[in-house]
Amino acid sequence: MSQLETLRGIASVLEVPCPFEFQDVYIKELAIDSRKVVLPAQSLFFAIAGDRHDGHNFIEQLYENGVRVFVVKADYSAPAKLDDAFFIRVENPLAALQTVAAAKRAQFNYPLIGITGSNGKTIVKEWLYQLLNQNYNIIRSPKSYNSQVGVPLSVWRMKSGNDLAIIEAGISMPGEMVKLERIVKPTIGIFTNLGQAHDENFTDANQKAREKLDLFQNVNTLIYCKDYLIIQEELEHYPFASSPKLFSWSRRTAADLQIGRIEKKDGQTEIQGIYQHNFLRIRIPFTDEASIENAIHCWATLLYLEIHSDDISRRMEQLVPVAMRLELKQGINNCSVINDSYNSDLQSISIALDFLSQQHQHPKRTLILSDILQTGRTDEELYAEVSQLIKEKKVDRLIGIGKHISSQAELFEETSEFFDSTEAFLAAYHHDKFYNETILLKGARSFGFEAISRIIQHKTHQTVLEIDLGAMVHNLNLIRSMINPSTKLMAMVKAFGYGSGSFEIANVLQFHHVDYLAVAYADEGIELRKAGISLPIMVISPEEQSFDAMIQYGLEPEIFSVRSFQLLENAIKRKGTLDSPLKIHIKLNTGMNRLGFSERDINQLVVRIKNNPLIKVASVFSHLAASENEAEDAFSRKQIASLDEMSARILEHFDYPILRHICNSFGIIRFPEAQFDMVRLGIGLYGVAPESSIKGKFRNVSTLRTTITQMHDLNKGDTIGYGRMEKVEAEMRSATLPIGYADGLSRKNGNRQGSVLINGHRAPIVGNVCMDMCMVDVTGIPCKEGDDVVIFGEDYPIEEFARNSETIPYEVLTNVSERVKRVYFQE
């Protein structure tokens, strides 16, 4: 343990005195996210204030969880009950985090590869790890930790046992890279490329290139591609503090690594090159242009590091895809399965276990883990650390597969099981081995965990709805950036989470601190409670028989009429006593004329609420009837004014705060003046937004995809489907897809009204849509049986698909049948 890993050392770096009783406190983790603190007694929390969240607001919660040392702003006033905590007071906690990380970096003199560029940073980093871990003990950035907070957290992980570090750095604004360079101090630099990301924050591409070059001002060597002319131009004038060796590669002009012929065949690409007058070649198991460029960056780096050409060739052929996402799928016996079986190393295990720890839908967490390969460490040392990590992440059961992990069985809990091989596990497997648990599959690719995945995942047909949880969080934060800091946010998870799965979506929203959830019916809210969701939940459509259950599970009903209020009072009388008043949400009718109290009901309503001490008003709200329609803006503003006036008549009678809200997703964007105290976010979470300057910033969340089951070559006169509605006029090729109206594909898409996307081409749906299948015209489209088919998604927007179906995106999403498997993934 170094001096810097004690609180005394950190306080010294920050030039702050440290009380004697805290001086020897061991700091293993630097924390910035209150939700991810695993070892509270060994964590130092930096209270960073962002645009939407201020870390100081979570200090009391962290204290209750066991954290005792904090870095806070100088003017932070700690509550008296935290008198046994130690606060390091600084002007800027983010700057303090960066200072501590820079001090940690200064302790080590082994090589550090710094990577930046518009695209490919994470892939190049992960591939370099795959290619070099036989030569070096490598520490690398977790995931895409390349920001102003991610980089210092990455550097803090450096240890004396490492002999190479690989750190990626990204920027979105001028001036940011200078700060990161002071932390990273790379000795070798890789500039991957220059694209259009964050262009809006720079005067031009040249300025952005100069800003990125700031990472390399003190490097010994810079590896880059000369074909990016702006990078080459700025390099010629950049004022390096050192005089670095420029190691270039190019497809077009003379360079240190001159790329020649590139040939793609059978899913592989052979790349030929000349280096130091020698003809070389590598083969990679990818054919896309981005992978080719990323592989050449890695090739140039290995050549610079003097890795033997034969080793390079062999390792390049063994490159595996970088698992940029973790997938959560439905498993057998009421289980959930997280599949991350591309690779297995301590860092990726820790990341996957973080995702596992966020799952609360089952009472038990199980890890199936293979041997960890090529670490250069002894088995005893390696698996002792694995055992400690599993304990820290609160895994209930370990199943170890492989001879190395099995040989260290005594390091793990008695409930652990071990098998020498995947085949041995499968031979001993019984269908009832797993029940009501979350299972994380984490294995090196050579162990073939796909076979385990197949037997523990729920068996469904080939049509799936993919939900990108990272894109959903992006959309959530985009909306948050548009509302006032004091405005609360209610997220709608009704109708099976807009077809995406109620619990899975609610779990993500709870993790990211939304203030409220809303469901349509009490049953939906009860299921969320049973799955561990603790957020306040509003029930929009409480049914007569559901009030007792709502009281039992702490759900908050919408009250929209005198009768619904009476039903609630009757349920409270049956209950007898309540631990605290039941919160309700008063719905006002401001013009939609669906549900809600009218103006003439308000006086009676207020009297009845004040006469019942067991009822408390949480909010008063209404619903915009046409927030998406510019032609009806005058009516929408009239509704907003009505809510303001009617709610004021209610609020004046109560001496506690009551929230007001009217804006839905479109209203948030189009009527920013009507945020009141809370807004309701629904379809906007899924990337659907009205035409506006911000529409292009939303990300697609849901992709419905299937595969080609069979193909037919048809002649003039042939017909397709029920009723023979498609009559073939000329030679034609058709494909049958395993998706029909029972899956949610409307029959209105048939007879060439709708289309699907196959290998980048639109294929019209021909004939009538069947219950379980449909047929498409693939004449002239390069495709084969088993190819992927997108019904709607990133490249075929759901709005366009909805128009073809003569409906709206809401209906498209909620109509996707529950028999269609939902696959959740997170970057």
Side-chain angles (χ1 to χ4, degrees):
M1 181 174 66
S2 71
Q3 176 73 13
L4 190 59
E5 291 173 324
T6 65
L7 202 55
R8 173 182 9 183
I10 292 173
S12 176
V13 167
L14 297 176
E15 300 180 350
V16 173
C18 181
F20 176 79
E21 62 270 26
F22 286 98
Q23 290 186 359
D24 294 327
V25 172
Y26 170 52
I27 301 299
K28 182 175 182 180
E29 299 289 346
L30 305 184
I32 62 165
D33 189 333
S34 62
R35 302 163 298 181
K36 297 181 179 179
V37 175
V38 176
L39 300 171
Q42 299 173 7
S43 295
L44 173 61
F45 181 76
F46 288 76
I48 296 172
D51 293 335
R52 296 297 306 176
H53 296 295
D54 186 342
H56 296 84
N57 296 333
F58 301 96
I59 286 175
E60 291 186 54
Q61 173 189 330
L62 285 159
Y63 178 87
E64 292 174 0
N65 292 337
V67 179
R68 289 295 180 270
V69 287
F70 304 86
V71 177
V72 298
K73 291 181 67 175
D75 59 358
Y76 172 71
S77 178
K81 66 179 181 180
L82 310 188
D83 58 353
D84 62 335
F86 174 48
F87 297 94
I88 298 177
R89 300 182 183 276
V90 297
E91 287 301 314
N92 185 331
L94 173 58
L97 172 67
Q98 294 173 341
T99 298
V100 171
K104 184 70 174 288
R105 167 69 181 98
Q107 293 183 330
F108 307 106
N109 58 12
Y110 49 76
L112 190 153
I113 300 174
I115 307 173
T116 195
S118 296
N119 298 293
K121 298 183 291 294
T122 301
I123 299 294
V124 170
K125 176 198 70 186
E126 293 297 322
W127 278 358
L128 284 176
Y129 175 81
Q130 292 181 31
L131 294 163
L132 290 170
N133 66 17
Q134 296 178 48
N135 301 86
Y136 298 92
N137 187 348
I138 301 171
I139 181 70
R140 70 195 193 279
S141 305
K143 299 185 284 189
S144 298
Y145 273 35
N146 56 33
S147 66
Q148 296 292 304
V149 293
V151 167
L153 293 177
S154 299
V155 168
W156 176 258
R157 299 165 59 89
M158 294 176 68
K159 298 178 181 179
S160 57
N162 302 121
D163 52 15
L164 176 66
I166 309 175
I167 305 292
E168 60 174 292
I171 59 171
S172 58
M173 299 285 291
E176 290 182 336
M177 193 64 87
V178 171
K179 298 177 183 178
L180 298 184
E181 192 278 336
R182 293 172 187 155
I183 303 168
V184 179
K185 292 293 181 187
T187 57
I188 302 167
I190 301 175
F191 198 150
T192 59
N193 52 46
L194 192 68
Q196 297 178 344
H198 306 298
D199 273 358
E200 67 275 13
N201 297 329
F202 299 91
T203 56
D204 55 28
N206 288 77
Q207 185 201 19
K208 185 162 68 172
R210 289 193 298 272
E211 292 286 338
K212 290 181 180 292
L213 281 170
D214 284 342
L215 180 63
F216 309 124
Q217 57 185 277
N218 290 291
V219 296
N220 300 325
T221 302
L222 175 58
I223 298 166
Y224 73 103
C225 175
K226 291 178 73 173
D227 299 340
Y228 289 96
L229 299 182
I230 292 177
I231 295 177
Q232 180 64 37
E233 176 187 341
E234 292 301 328
L235 270 174
E236 294 171 359
H237 305 289
Y238 186 80
F240 288 100
S242 59
S243 298
K245 169 183 171 54
L246 299 180
F247 189 111
S248 63
W249 67 267
S250 175
R251 304 187 195 190
R252 305 172 185 167
T253 186
D256 294 280
L257 175 58
Q258 180 68 56
I259 301 300
R261 184 177 179 183
I262 297 178
E263 183 177 1
K264 303 176 183 180
K265 186 178 181 181
D266 298 330
Q268 295 188 323
T269 302
E270 182 177 280
I271 308 170
Q272 300 177 358
I274 297 175
Y275 175 65
Q276 294 182 346
H277 307 294
N278 294 315
F279 174 79
L280 305 172
R281 72 177 70 191
I282 60 170
R283 184 177 289 109
I284 61 172
F286 307 95
T287 58
D288 61 287
E289 288 300 316
S291 292
I292 292 170
E293 179 178 279
N294 293 334
I296 297 174
H297 280 304
C298 294
W299 191 12
T301 305
L302 268 63
L303 290 171
Y304 168 74
L305 292 173
E306 299 182 348
I307 305 299
H308 195 278
S309 292
D310 291 343
D311 291 332
I312 295 175
S313 297
R314 177 173 47 81
R315 295 176 193 176
M316 284 286 185
E317 287 193 64
Q318 297 172 353
L319 280 176
V320 298
V322 175
M324 298 295 287
R325 67 190 204 181
L326 293 168
E327 292 187 343
L328 176 66
K329 301 180 179 180
Q330 185 180 359
I332 60 170
N333 300 334
N334 194 37
C335 292
S336 297
V337 179
I338 302 171
N339 195 343
D340 187 23
S341 55
Y342 274 108
N343 55 54
S344 180
D345 62 83
L346 276 175
Q347 184 167 298
S348 64
I349 291 169
S350 180
I351 292 167
L353 287 174
D354 282 339
F355 188 52
L356 176 65
S357 68
Q358 295 172 25
Q359 310 307 316
H360 302 287
Q361 63 269 49
H362 306 294
K364 185 176 178 181
R365 300 186 182 105
T366 294
L367 169 64
I368 304 178
L369 178 66
S370 78
D371 283 347
I372 304 172
L373 307 177
Q374 300 172 338
T375 66
R377 303 169 63 182
T378 66
D379 283 353
E380 185 175 359
E381 176 191 5
L382 174 64
Y383 293 107
E385 187 169 347
V386 171
S387 176
Q388 181 62 32
L389 185 62
I390 290 173
K391 290 176 183 175
E392 292 171 359
K393 303 292 186 179
K394 296 181 173 59
V395 174
D396 298 291
R397 175 170 59 153
L398 167 71
I399 297 176
I401 296 180
K403 293 182 178 179
H404 292 277
I405 192 172
S406 297
S407 71
Q408 303 299 316
E410 71 277 1
L411 298 174
F412 298 92
E413 298 289 338
E414 291 183 3
T415 55
S416 302
E417 300 176 61
F418 297 92
F419 301 88
D420 281 350
S421 65
T422 302
E423 292 74 20
F425 169 83
L426 294 172
Y429 172 78
H430 295 286
H431 182 73
D432 59 355
K433 188 174 187 65
F434 303 105
Y435 179 76
N436 197 21
E437 54 196 286
T438 306
I439 307 165
L440 170 60
L441 275 175
K442 194 78 182 77
R445 197 178 192 190
S446 59
F447 279 81
F449 272 18
E450 295 86 355
I452 300 177
S453 177
R454 282 194 294 271
I455 65 170
I456 65 175
Q457 284 184 22
H458 187 65
K459 305 298 186 292
T460 55
H461 67 88
Q462 296 161 299
T463 300
V464 299
L465 181 66
E466 294 183 343
I467 296 100
D468 184 344
L469 299 179
M472 178 172 287
V473 172
H474 167 86
N475 296 337
L476 171 66
N477 290 331
L478 181 61
I479 288 291
R480 275 179 164 155
S481 72
M482 301 170 59
I483 62 178
N484 299 323
S486 60
T487 301
K488 295 183 181 296
L489 197 150
M490 174 183 283
M492 314 302 286
V493 291
K494 59 181 181 175
F496 193 50
Y498 285 72
S500 298
S502 300
F503 165 74
E504 293 81 3
I505 302 305
N507 192 43
V508 171
L509 296 170
Q510 178 169 273
F511 186 76
H512 288 277
H513 296 303
V514 301
D515 300 287
Y516 254 96
L517 298 176
V519 297
Y521 296 103
D523 288 349
E524 296 174 317
I526 292 169
E527 288 305 309
L528 294 181
R529 286 284 185 255
K530 288 180 177 179
I533 298 299
S534 58
L535 284 173
I537 299 175
M538 179 175 81
V539 179
I540 296 172
S541 303
E543 297 174 300
E544 180 174 350
Q545 67 274 20
S546 66
F547 282 100
D548 297 276
M550 283 188 282
I551 295 172
Q552 179 183 350
Y553 286 95
L555 306 177
E556 302 175 13
E558 170 188 313
I559 300 300
F560 52 84
S561 67
V562 173
R563 180 174 180 270
S564 64
F565 189 87
Q566 184 63 57
L567 291 171
L568 171 65
E569 286 197 310
N570 294 343
I572 291 174
K573 288 178 183 177
R574 287 193 296 273
K575 180 69 174 175
T577 59
L578 300 179
D579 294 334
S580 60
L582 181 68
K583 292 182 179 180
I584 64 172
H585 299 261
I586 302 298
K587 177 73 170 286
L588 300 179
N589 180 13
T590 58
M592 188 164 178
N593 295 314
R594 186 174 63 177
L595 294 174
F597 290 95
S598 63
E599 285 193 69
R600 64 177 178 271
D601 299 322
I602 289 178
N603 290 339
Q604 179 188 359
L605 174 65
V606 169
V607 170
R608 294 191 65 165
I609 295 172
K610 290 185 72 67
N611 285 338
N612 195 328
L614 296 180
I615 294 176
K616 183 176 182 178
V617 182
S619 79
V620 178
F621 73 105
S622 191
H623 198 102
L624 292 174
S627 59
E628 75 286 356
N629 188 348
E630 186 175 352
E632 297 291 348
D633 281 359
F635 183 80
S636 295
R637 290 192 172 90
K638 182 180 178 182
Q639 283 192 274
I640 293 166
S642 294
L643 174 68
D644 197 14
E645 295 166 8
M646 294 171 68
S647 63
R649 290 178 55 192
I650 297 174
L651 269 59
E652 66 182 359
H653 294 283
F654 298 91
D655 58 2
Y656 54 82
I658 296 174
L659 301 173
R660 299 187 294 171
H661 49 105
I662 194 170
C663 281
N664 56 8
S665 294
F666 286 11
I668 295 168
I669 297 170
R670 302 197 63 248
F671 300 99
E673 73 279 7
Q675 293 178 14
F676 290 100
D677 306 298
M678 184 159 68
V679 295
R680 303 190 299 272
L681 179 58
I683 198 72
L685 275 172
Y686 299 87
V688 178
E691 291 300 330
S692 63
S693 60
I694 201 171
K695 180 176 175 64
K697 296 183 179 180
F698 283 87
R699 287 174 54 187
N700 176 71
V701 170
S702 303
T703 300
L704 182 61
R705 61 173 77 245
T706 188
T707 58
I708 296 175
T709 300
Q710 189 177 18
M711 301 183 69
H712 297 281
D713 292 309
L714 304 174
N715 299 312
K716 182 178 180 179
D718 288 338
T719 60
I720 299 175
Y722 285 120
R724 305 183 67 204
M725 297 301 292
E726 174 73 16
K727 294 179 172 57
V728 178
E729 300 294 335
E731 286 189 359
M732 170 183 164
R733 202 162 200 224
S734 72
T736 302
L737 314 180
I739 181 172
Y741 58 78
D743 302 298
L745 180 64
S746 170
R747 295 183 79 244
K748 292 181 180 178
N749 285 282
N751 301 309
R752 298 186 179 267
Q753 292 302 303
S755 61
V756 300
L757 194 66
I758 300 178
N759 296 331
H761 300 270
R762 292 293 178 91
I765 299 173
V766 294
N768 285 324
V769 174
C770 310
M771 180 182 288
D772 308 303
M773 287 173 278
C774 69
M775 288 67 74
V776 296
D777 182 354
V778 295
T779 307
I781 297 177
C783 60
K784 61 185 183 301
E785 292 177 2
D787 277 5
D788 184 61
V789 179
V790 173
I791 310 301
F792 59 77
E794 180 72 31
D795 298 316
Y796 187 5
I798 190 172
E799 294 97 326
E800 182 180 351
F801 180 83
R803 284 194 296 271
N804 293 335
S805 303
E806 299 180 11
T807 185
I808 56 177
Y810 297 82
E811 185 175 7
V812 171
L813 284 173
T814 57
N815 275 358
V816 178
S817 167
E818 290 194 38
R819 80 175 186 179
V820 173
K821 178 171 64 175
R822 272 66 174 172
V823 176
Y824 306 89
F825 63 90
Q826 180 169 301
E827 300 297 328

